[in-house]
Amino acid sequence: LQNHNKYKRNEVQQVKRYWKYIRPYIQYYILGPCFMMMEVVGDVLLPYMLAKIINQGIAERNVAYIIKIGVIMGFIAVIMAVCGVLGAWFASKAAMNFGADLRMDLFEKIQQFSFQNIDNFSTGSLITRLTNDITQIQNMIMMTLRMCLRSPGILIGAMVMAFVISPKLAAIFIIVLPVLAVLIVVIMRRAFPQFRTLQEKLDALNSCIQEGLVGIRLIKSFVRGDYEEMRFEKRNQQLKEANLTAMKTMLLYTPLMTLALNITTVVVVWSGGNMIVAGNMQVGDLTAFTNYIVQIMSSLTMLSIAFLNWARAIASFRRVGEVLNEK
């Protein structure tokens, strides 16, 4: 219990620490998600309006209705494009400012280190934390503001519209979604330690480069060039293997998601086709429902990518925190 309370206190302290990098740019953290949610509304509405065109416009040969709905859809598409650009811009501003301020504080902290502090981390590790780790954090913030509101919004909106169109067909998702959720959790549990190992291997490579460049005169004087090349090759190989291991975990998700999407689409089209033949469903509704399947699966894919980036960014947060906590 004491360890748990200590962990909670540390988490609260971390949140307070990073809040100062958010507060000056809070407007970007608000406007970015707002514009993204406006884009989500358009994404959810367009398939429904397409179904209206097919069911009431094309089926009844009502050209005026087709033109009317088509103009509305075009207007929505333009608004979506503007909102998407603005949302991405504000998210980028928030992430880059956060990273710049954090990097400056980290640099100032390192300037206060004694030789013992520097030896605890190594120069190469400190360089990695100042550059690569903070870049990972920036990417995580940008992805969170852009995808982690957009993806759940599309997921929820598409699910609601799917149940509105056909509760019977939408029940298929009750089976598919839990399976995909378990898959995401399993991959996350594998990915987190791999990303931490990846950053440590990058530390080792940077340290090797830094030591080689600083000591280049000694290396030449004592004819140690071959040894240093072998040492670099070893570090480089270790980094490559760590990268490949982490990427294999990330790439595993894409074919599994594609398989789930294709199976779900086949089941829905087959079931929906039988419902159309029986007169219980219209063609436009099945078209819209298929589009919602793609939206749901795409949002889950984006969320999984965001989760994997979070795993890498959390490792980077902890590594940056270790430097900031160093006495």
Side-chain angles (χ1 to χ4, degrees), residues 12-275:
V12 172
Q13 290 174 357
Q14 292 295 328
V15 171
K16 289 181 179 178
R17 165 183 290 163
Y18 294 117
W19 170 246
K20 75 174 185 176
Y21 304 116
I22 297 175
R23 188 174 57 246
Y25 315 105
I26 192 66
Q27 67 273 20
Y28 301 141
Y29 290 87
I30 295 174
L31 291 173
C34 286
F35 281 111
M36 282 297 166
M37 291 308 296
M38 292 173 65
E39 186 183 12
V40 166
V41 172
D43 275 327
V44 174
L45 285 177
L46 286 179
Y48 182 75
M49 299 183 75
L50 177 62
K52 292 290 186 183
I53 287 180
I54 295 174
N55 292 336
Q56 300 178 25
I58 296 176
E60 299 176 5
R61 299 183 180 180
N62 189 340
V63 178
Y65 185 82
I66 295 173
I67 294 174
K68 175 184 174 182
I69 301 299
V71 170
I72 295 174
M73 291 177 69
F75 181 69
I76 292 174
V78 171
I79 294 177
M80 287 172 58
V82 173
C83 290
V85 171
L86 290 175
W89 188 78
F90 284 122
S92 300
K93 290 279 286 185
M96 297 308 157
N97 281 300
F98 184 101
D101 291 350
L102 178 58
R103 189 178 292 110
M104 179 58 69
D105 282 357
L106 193 65
F107 182 78
E108 291 176 356
K109 177 75 175 186
I110 292 172
Q111 300 309 303
Q112 302 168 11
F113 277 0
S114 65
F115 291 118
Q116 182 180 355
N117 294 134
I118 294 175
D119 289 340
N120 288 340
F121 291 100
S122 82
T123 305
S125 177
L126 292 174
I127 292 172
T128 305
R129 296 174 200 237
L130 271 167
T131 54
N132 186 270
D133 281 309
I134 292 182
T135 299
Q136 298 301 330
I137 294 171
Q138 285 180 175
N139 292 339
M140 184 272 290
I141 293 173
M142 190 184 305
M143 187 167 291
T144 299
L145 293 176
R146 292 185 61 183
M147 295 175 61
C148 295
L149 287 175
R150 173 183 169 83
S151 299
I154 292 178
L155 178 62
I156 295 171
M159 284 289 293
V160 170
M161 296 303 296
F163 274 98
V164 168
I165 293 173
S166 175
K168 183 178 178 180
L169 282 181
I172 295 172
F173 295 122
I174 298 176
I175 301 173
V176 175
L177 292 180
V179 174
L180 294 177
V182 171
L183 178 64
I184 292 173
V185 171
V186 170
I187 292 177
M188 279 285 291
R189 289 175 65 89
R190 289 187 58 188
F192 181 77
Q194 292 172 354
F195 284 128
R196 185 169 183 85
T197 302
L198 175 61
Q199 296 302 105
E200 291 171 354
K201 298 301 181 184
L202 187 58
D203 285 349
L205 182 66
N206 282 338
S207 294
C208 180
I209 294 171
Q210 186 263 340
E211 291 166 5
L213 292 175
V214 171
I216 187 68
R217 294 181 183 276
L218 286 173
I219 293 170
K220 288 184 176 182
S221 299
F222 289 94
V223 195
R224 300 288 285 174
D226 292 341
Y227 171 78
E228 290 298 325
E229 287 179 4
M230 291 174 58
R231 186 163 166 258
F232 176 83
E233 184 179 356
K234 179 181 178 181
R235 297 284 188 273
N236 193 35
Q237 187 70 20
Q238 290 174 344
L239 178 60
K240 185 193 80 170
E241 295 298 331
N243 254 313
L244 288 174
T245 301
M247 291 305 107
K248 284 176 183 176
T249 301
M250 291 183 65
L251 294 174
L252 180 66
Y253 187 81
T254 303
L256 293 176
M257 276 297 300
T258 304
L259 178 63
L261 171 61
N262 290 336
I263 292 175
T264 305
T265 303
V266 169
V267 173
V268 166
V269 171
W270 181 76
S271 302
N274 290 332
M275 293 174 67

